[in-house]
Each structure stands twice: as structure tokens, then as C-alpha cells.
Amino acid sequence: MKSSWKVSWLLVCLFLTGCQMSVLNPAGRVAEEQSRLIIFSFAVMMIILLVVFVLFFRFLWRYREDSRIERPPHTQENDNKKLEITWTVLPLLVLLLLAVPMLMQTYSLETKTTQEEMTIEVTGQQYWWRFDYPDENIRTAQELHLPANTNITFELNTEDVIHSFWIPQLGGKKDAIPGRTNELHLETGRPGVYEGKCAELCGAAHTDMRFQVVVHEEEDFTDWVEAAGQDVTPEENETVQEEGARVFQENCLACHAADGAATKNDQGPNLALYGERDKISGSFANDEEQLKAFLRHPNNFKPSTDMPAYNNLSREEMDALVNYLHGLTRENVQGGSD
Ligand code: CUA
């Protein structure tokens, strides 16, 4: 018996390691409701599992080979109306118990809340996410900034294949489908940094199609919006290092904007306030060494990315570029525009 328990626990642990457990650590109302539903369904299933196991072992013991229990003859005729009704009605009730709260919640989450406070246009593409703030007139990528305790409507689009937008700790997820706009309503709660990801197999670098979600206190969010929209085109900005700005202009500006002014056409992810980001491309630690390695060989990090390798830059140019990118912070950007 002891070893069978050990095996069962091992199996449970093995299954749990594959789970995205952050859904059970919600950081917003929608995610809270969804995690309650997960816990409720899990509890119902565990109770059923327990009953099945108890009955299984009971019968195993009762009808073991050397038991002297009297067994009724097995014939086609010995039907038992009571039992038949029980095993028809009981699963039906269990299904209703699971289906009713689940359907009710699905419909309530699909309905726009009366006080919708913010809209963000999300565009997925192989293999990154662009975030447009139509009311604030700014754009960013790979790092989504949101105010705390706010209802948000995400308008989901895609430039290429089907992606799926998912922030486990805020609730979700929903597909971004070519040719249509899907809406997802979420509500932020406490401030913090959360992981976002693509939840639909979309190509070679699907696993790395991640993003960071930064939920700010209201005042801090306003501050971020203001700084993100500041123009930091190299020739106009003096606080960020000149040499790095030159290297950026010559090598990167064709695809990446260094600020979130929404008019900028960026083929690659927008790099507004890049120096404040924890992650490169939403996935890898944004430190000096890794950023250099990423710029030299982006393909080693994200297979089949469109970004070319910049291993032609001299050591000095690379240092200056990384300094410039890491210098794109609120302090420098706002200081530079004064
Ligand atoms: Cu996009 Cu997976």
C-alpha cells in the first residue's frame, strides 16, 4: 500500500509540473473568478475520483479470489432498476454542476462591463506582440503597460497566422485570427509584473512569443505614458549617448522606433523605454551581455526571426549601441526633452 501511495503522488507531481500554475495566483477580478472555477471543478473531480477509488478497492478486496462471499449467479435477467437510474442520473447531475457555473461565467465575461475604461489594440505577428493605445496615441511592443484596477478591452488582431493572447494571472485567453478583430475583456488588480504568452502553436519561435505585463499604480502609469510617447529620435536627443544614437540610427531605425509616438512605422518591435525593460523580446534577461549576444545572433534566441544578425558591428559600436538602448529610461527621456 505504501509504495502505491508513493507512485500516486509521483504521478500527481509529474502532471502538475506541466501546468501553468500562475492561473491559480490571480491578479485581477476576471482571473480570480476563473481560478475559483478551476478550483471548484478540480474539487468536484477529486471527490468523484475519491469515490471511484474507494469503490474500486472495496470491490477488489470483497471479491478477491479466496473470499468466501456469496456471489449471485450472473445472468442477463438480473437487472436492477434502482442502480440503473442511479448511474444515469448521477453523472447528469455532476455534468450540470460543472456546466451551469461555467456557462454563466463564460457569458458574463464575454459581455462588456458597463464602465469600460481603456482599449488597447493588440497585434500578434511571428513572433512578437505590438500594443497600440489609441486614446493615449502611443505604441509599444513586447512589454504591455496597464493601470491597476481598470477594466480593459483588448482588440486582438494578427498580421499573419493565428496567435493566442494570454496573460495567465489576469485571465483569458483568446485567439487573434486573420481577417477579424476579437475582443477580450479583462480587469487589472494589484500592481506587479506578470508574464504574457502566445498560447497557439504559430511557428518555430512560438515558445518565445512572450511578453511582460507591467501593471502600474495610476499615477505611475500616467508617468509611463508621458515618457513612452516622448520623441527620442537620435538627432534631437542629447541625454542618450551620441555614438550609440548614431549606431542605432544607421542599423536599427529602419525597423525599430526608439519611442512610442504612435505615428512611427515600426516593422520590428517598438523599443520605447527599452532601458527599463526586464526582458529582451519578452523572454530573455535584459542585461548587457545577453543583449549583445542577442544583437549578434538573434536567431540563436528566436529561431526564424526576421531580425538580421549584427555581428558586423565593431566592439566599440556594440558597446555604444547597448549603452544607448539601456539609456532609454524615463529619467533620460524626460530629462532629454526638457
Ligand atoms: Cu504566436 Cu504562438
Side-chain angles (χ1 to χ4, degrees), residues 124-129 160-164 197-203 205-209:
Q125 46 200 295
Q126 289 166 319
Y127 298 92
W128 57 281
W129 297 93
D160 37 53
V161 298
I162 299 176
H163 303 279
S164 183
K197 58 173 70 179
C198 174
E200 177 76 47
L201 182 62
C202 56
H206 151 75
T207 349
D208 297 317
M209 196 171 160

Side-chain angles (χ1 to χ4, degrees), residues 95-217:
L95 278 182
L96 281 176
L97 189 70
L98 289 170
V100 170
M102 219 167 274
L103 282 173
M104 275 168 58
Q105 207 189 74
T106 306
Y107 278 102
S108 94
L109 291 180
E110 281 297 304
T111 331
K112 227 174 174 172
T113 46
T114 41
Q115 63 306 25
E116 220 44 72
E117 287 167 48
M118 194 173 188
T119 300
I120 294 176
E121 294 163 11
V122 176
T123 312
Q125 46 200 295
Q126 289 166 319
Y127 298 92
W128 57 281
W129 297 93
R130 188 174 70 217
F131 306 112
D132 283 292
Y133 299 66
D135 296 329
E136 287 75 12
N137 213 24
I138 53 167
R139 160 180 292 181
T140 188
Q142 298 300 75
E143 205 177 74
L144 172 64
H145 290 257
L146 304 170
N149 304 309
T150 307
N151 288 315
I152 295 169
T153 296
F154 293 100
E155 293 179 354
L156 309 175
N157 296 292
T158 168
E159 296 261 296
D160 37 53
V161 298
I162 299 176
H163 303 279
S164 183
F165 179 79
W166 190 26
I167 310 167
Q169 281 184 272
L170 293 188
K173 57 202 147 200
K174 198 167 246 188
D175 281 1
I177 296 170
R180 61 170 291 170
T181 302
N182 274 345
E183 278 192 5
L184 176 68
H185 308 287
L186 294 180
E187 192 179 322
T188 57
R190 59 187 145 92
V193 180
Y194 310 106
E195 296 279 332
K197 58 173 70 179
C198 174
E200 177 76 47
L201 182 62
C202 56
H206 151 75
T207 349
D208 297 317
M209 196 171 160
R210 293 165 186 268
F211 57 100
Q212 295 271 291
V213 184
V214 185
V215 176
H216 300 262
E217 295 286 7

